[in-house]
Amino acid sequence: MYELDEKKYLPLLFIIPILVVVFLFNLYWKRKKQEEFGDLEMIKKLSPESSGFKTGLKFVVLTLAFACLVIGLVNPKIGTKSETVKREGIDIVFAVDVSKSMLCEDVAPSRLEKSKQIVSQIINQLVGDRIGIVAYAGSAFPVLPITTDYGVAKMFLQSMNPSMVSSQGTSLDEAIKLSSTYFDDDKKTSKLLILISDGEDHSEGSNDAAEEANKLGLKIITIGLGTPKGGPIPLKENGRVISFKRDQNNEVVVTKLNEESLKVISKNTKGGYINGNNTKEVLEYIKKALDNIEKNEFEAQQFTDYNSQFQWFLGMAFFLLFLDVFFLEKKTEWLKKLNLFNEKA
């Protein structure tokens, strides 16, 4: 296994093709000027020590040195083995509502994007906890199983959208049922479900599902997104709003925050509810809730012994730069005798 420590430097490698083009253009320009000056064969006789091969070799050496410097800055790391380590934390599943009503922009930039921001920032303040992600609308969809890889979790989180769940509507009970399967049967493990939604529940079994979750020792914190006044659901094309969702009577659909259904779910599992429109308040609320939950020891697989490899590439870069000092753009006597590169005039 390997990882790149500073990926931000990788785009510097795109400079190399530009340098190649400039170098080739410079050779072409020199040749054209020599042709204008006189006969090429005569010019070669006037400068018998000049070596075209050495010029190309110097460019290749300098280009390789630059590439090694960039890779050294990126600092590739190699993991030599996977081992089981013990950590202390809790199991957390984020259930994110991706129904079309979450596209409503009564909360900037939209309810769904606000959900992603909240989850991402909650993940940023976690230490040692295992997390999973569920997406739901009319049905629930497993996005990411329980893991300790927060980077992968945030990557999957950003890809979530209404199209990933075929059945539209909002079924809170499906979200709770699927989330419950993420946790181990061991009741000693602290389990937390953070459910984010506008509360527009089109199912009838959310309370029953919450009660079943409570029996499993699952605590649910619900976060409501949206406003009581609500707003329309925009339909976009190429990032531009072209119309709004309409019902069977061709009336514009207005979606509103329904806090009551979310409060009932959290109450049934001895959890809590908070309005998610203020991100700072949500983060403070979640932090206090996590501090009050007992941490448990669990085993996790991780790759260890990641060793930095930048020194090899920097060493090679400096060696090539040192070597370049001794490459003069004239023919080498002992190479002339061997005539390996057809350098004889």
Side-chain angles (χ1 to χ4, degrees):
M1 290 292 292
Y2 72 93
E3 65 177 21
L4 302 178
D5 195 31
E6 297 288 345
K7 294 181 182 179
K8 62 184 178 182
Y9 294 112
L10 278 177
L12 291 175
L13 292 174
F14 289 109
I15 296 176
I16 294 176
I18 298 174
L19 294 176
V20 171
V21 172
V22 172
F23 175 74
L24 293 176
F25 177 79
N26 183 55
L27 289 181
Y28 171 77
W29 179 81
K30 281 184 177 180
R31 186 176 181 85
K32 291 292 289 184
K33 288 298 179 182
Q34 288 174 349
E35 288 177 347
E36 292 176 7
F37 180 75
D39 183 68
L40 290 178
E41 291 300 321
M42 182 63 69
I43 292 173
K44 286 181 180 180
K45 291 179 180 179
L46 292 173
S47 53
E49 298 300 318
S50 178
S51 173
F53 169 76
K54 283 290 191 65
T55 302
L57 182 60
K58 282 179 67 69
F59 173 77
V60 170
V61 169
L62 288 173
T63 303
L64 287 174
F66 176 76
C68 288
L69 282 173
V70 172
I71 297 173
L73 290 173
V74 172
N75 187 20
K77 294 181 175 180
I78 298 177
T80 57
K81 64 180 179 180
S82 172
E83 69 175 18
T84 301
V85 295
K86 290 189 179 296
R87 290 189 175 184
E88 195 174 70
I90 63 176
D91 288 346
I92 305 171
V93 171
F94 296 95
V96 181
D97 187 347
V98 294
S99 60
K100 288 185 177 178
S101 64
M102 293 294 285
L103 298 176
C104 179
E105 298 175 348
D106 57 346
V107 176
S110 71
R111 296 176 184 176
L112 181 56
E113 290 305 314
K114 185 75 169 179
S115 299
K116 294 179 183 180
Q117 291 173 10
I118 290 173
V119 174
S120 181
Q121 292 192 42
I122 292 174
I123 292 173
N124 287 341
Q125 64 183 20
L126 297 178
V127 179
D129 304 295
R130 297 189 297 187
I131 59 175
I133 301 176
V134 167
Y136 68 96
S139 58
F141 177 80
V143 176
L144 182 72
I146 289 288
T147 181
T148 55
D149 194 330
Y150 297 161
V152 170
K154 288 193 281 189
M155 182 181 69
F156 275 90
L157 176 69
Q158 294 307 315
S159 66
M160 295 173 67
N161 61 78
S163 64
M164 67 192 310
V165 180
S166 58
S167 176
Q168 283 303 311
T170 303
S171 184
L172 295 174
D173 63 322
E174 291 291 328
I176 296 171
K177 288 176 183 176
L178 178 60
S179 299
S180 298
T181 65
Y182 271 52
F183 302 101
D184 297 330
D185 294 332
D186 183 6
K187 291 189 177 181
K188 293 181 180 179
T189 305
S190 296
K191 309 174 182 71
L192 175 65
L193 169 60
I194 298 178
L195 188 145
I196 307 174
S197 175
D198 53 23
E200 287 194 335
D201 189 8
H202 297 99
S203 65
E204 298 179 354
S206 57
N207 293 338
D208 293 336
E211 290 175 2
E212 288 298 318
N214 185 48
K215 292 177 183 178
L216 297 172
L218 174 60
K219 183 177 290 188
I220 302 177
I221 292 178
T222 54
I223 301 174
L225 282 173
T227 61
K229 183 180 178 181
I233 302 172
L235 302 176
K236 295 185 178 182
E237 194 172 280
N238 297 324
R240 292 173 48 239
V241 177
I242 55 174
S243 64
F244 295 96
K245 187 178 180 181
R246 295 177 179 272
D247 59 19
Q248 295 177 344
N249 299 321
N250 203 33
E251 296 289 332
V252 174
V253 174
V254 176
T255 172
K256 302 177 182 180
L257 170 64
N258 179 9
E259 293 184 306
E260 289 308 312
S261 61
L262 298 174
K263 288 179 179 178
V264 171
I265 290 172
S266 61
K267 184 179 179 181
N268 288 341
T269 60
K270 301 179 180 63
Y273 168 81
I274 185 170
N275 186 291
N277 296 343
N278 188 315
T279 304
K280 184 178 179 182
E281 291 180 0
V282 174
L283 294 177
E284 290 176 353
Y285 181 86
I286 297 296
K287 187 177 186 303
K288 288 180 181 177
L290 293 175
D291 289 340
N292 292 326
I293 298 176
E294 183 184 356
K295 303 291 190 294
N296 305 105
E297 191 178 78
F298 58 84
E299 294 182 344
Q301 291 289 122
Q302 72 175 30
F303 282 93
T304 58
D305 295 337
Y306 273 103
N307 296 317
S308 295
Q309 306 297 320
F310 72 92
Q311 63 273 13
W312 299 104
F313 295 97
L314 291 183
M316 178 60 70
F318 289 125
F319 172 74
L320 291 171
L321 290 173
F322 177 77
L323 199 62
D324 179 70
V325 174
F326 297 94
F327 285 157
L328 303 176
E329 293 188 11
K330 65 178 186 178
K331 295 177 181 179
T332 307
E333 289 300 322
W334 63 274
L335 283 177
K336 281 174 65 177
K337 294 176 181 177
L338 294 176
N339 198 29
L340 291 175
F341 307 107
N342 196 26
E343 287 196 324
K344 288 185 178 180

